[in-house]
Amino acid sequence: MRPLPEPPPLSTRALLACLVLAAAASVFLWQTVWLYPLRLLVTLMHESGHALTAWALGAHVSSVTISPATGGLTYHSLTGSRWKEMLIASGGYVGSSVAGALLLVAAGRMRSGRLLLWGLVAWMVGVAVLWVPLLPPDPGGSYAHFTGSSRSDGLFTLGFIAGMAALLGLIAWKGPVWLRRGVVLWIAALSCLLALQDIKGLFGFGLEVGVSDAHAMAELTWLPAPFWAAVWMALSLLAMGLGLRSILRRRDRVRSRMPFGQFSGG
């Protein structure tokens, strides 16, 4: 018995409809329980961005954790270079936005979504094995207050990774095509949009000095924290725009490959 052929990629209309729904969800459901697992997933992407940047620049990463309050902390050794520390501090928001944009591009080309889901599982398991200890360092007063972090976050992070990886793996293994595609699209879109929501929070009031990436950058450069929040937001919008452009340009490529009269909208 021959295996069933892979379905064609989603139409541009279906992709854009999913993105519009995801945008509405990020605006109206951002603080609700419905987006809570995805907010944790985006936080893990954010902290992975810090960790990967630090590792690439020669620093030792001792722990990566997320907290039930959707905050996150990454501990790494000092590099001794102001430029390297600036890149590491920027690696969180830039990394999560770029990851979301790359997922968006991949989602526009996927056929079943199975490979992308297994890729997400592999990434989470890799983070858990490399950087998540059972007992991370004590976050200290200001970090604990701002991020909601504690020494129990290692166990929480491992539990979240185990649960989310099992769920995504089950969907990749047994889920129907429409479910696999839908999950990938939602993760791709919301990873971009929730990163923007988090950056938007950096413009708020009442943040303690030295407890956010923007304040870390302010201490390194003497430029105000809102300036760096604006830079990261611009980079996030650029990454998401490039991902959307890739999806929209698919329509032109498909039309150019089809004989005249055989192209239909969507």
Side-chain angles (χ1 to χ4, degrees):
M1 183 177 178
R2 289 184 178 180
L4 293 175
E6 289 288 331
L10 284 173
S11 68
T12 304
R13 183 178 299 172
L15 285 166
L16 293 178
C18 287
L19 293 178
V20 170
L21 289 174
S26 72
V27 172
F28 298 106
L29 302 176
W30 183 49
Q31 293 285 358
T32 67
V33 68
W34 304 106
L35 291 188
Y36 181 68
L38 287 171
R39 289 175 62 201
L40 290 174
L41 190 65
V42 173
T43 302
L44 189 63
M45 286 183 181
H46 176 106
E47 298 306 322
S48 297
H50 286 307
L52 284 170
T53 306
W55 173 79
L57 294 175
H60 171 70
V61 179
S62 56
S63 72
V64 170
T65 56
I66 58 176
S67 74
T70 69
L73 286 175
T74 296
Y75 285 95
H76 63 85
S77 61
L78 294 176
T79 62
S81 165
R82 183 182 299 271
W83 286 104
K84 288 182 179 180
E85 294 299 328
M86 289 170 59
L87 289 172
I88 293 171
S90 298
Y93 286 116
V94 174
S96 59
S97 299
V98 169
L102 290 176
L103 271 175
L104 208 56
V105 172
R109 289 161 173 75
M110 69 178 173
R111 293 183 178 272
S112 72
R114 180 177 280 118
L115 186 60
L116 286 174
L117 287 172
W118 283 123
L120 287 170
V121 170
W123 155 66
M124 287 188 288
V125 172
V127 171
V129 170
L130 291 173
W131 295 319
V132 183
L134 281 174
L135 283 177
D138 187 345
S142 60
Y143 281 97
H145 174 73
F146 179 66
T147 64
S149 300
S150 69
R151 293 210 70 194
S152 64
D153 286 347
L155 186 59
F156 175 81
T157 306
L158 290 172
F160 170 75
I161 288 175
M164 181 61 78
L167 177 61
L168 294 181
L170 181 62
I171 294 172
W173 180 35
K174 291 292 188 180
V177 172
W178 66 265
L179 180 60
R180 296 198 301 266
R181 285 175 156 182
V183 169
V184 170
L185 269 175
W186 272 81
I187 291 176
L190 288 174
S191 62
C192 290
L193 294 166
L194 293 181
L196 288 175
Q197 291 278 22
D198 284 343
I199 294 173
K200 198 168 65 176
L202 296 178
F203 292 102
F205 298 96
L207 300 184
E208 297 180 41
V209 174
V211 296
S212 73
D213 295 338
H215 285 113
M217 288 292 285
E219 290 183 353
L220 288 166
T221 63
W222 300 289
L223 292 171
F227 169 82
W228 292 109
V231 169
W232 293 332
M233 180 167 284
L235 290 174
S236 297
L237 288 171
L238 175 63
M240 190 165 62
L242 291 174
L244 287 172
R245 182 185 176 207
S246 173
I247 288 175
L248 292 173
R249 291 183 67 180
R250 275 185 55 226
R251 188 184 185 93
D252 296 331
R253 289 195 296 269
V254 170
R255 178 182 288 141
S256 67
R257 289 196 297 265
M258 283 189 172
F260 180 75
Q262 292 187 9
F263 180 78
S264 59

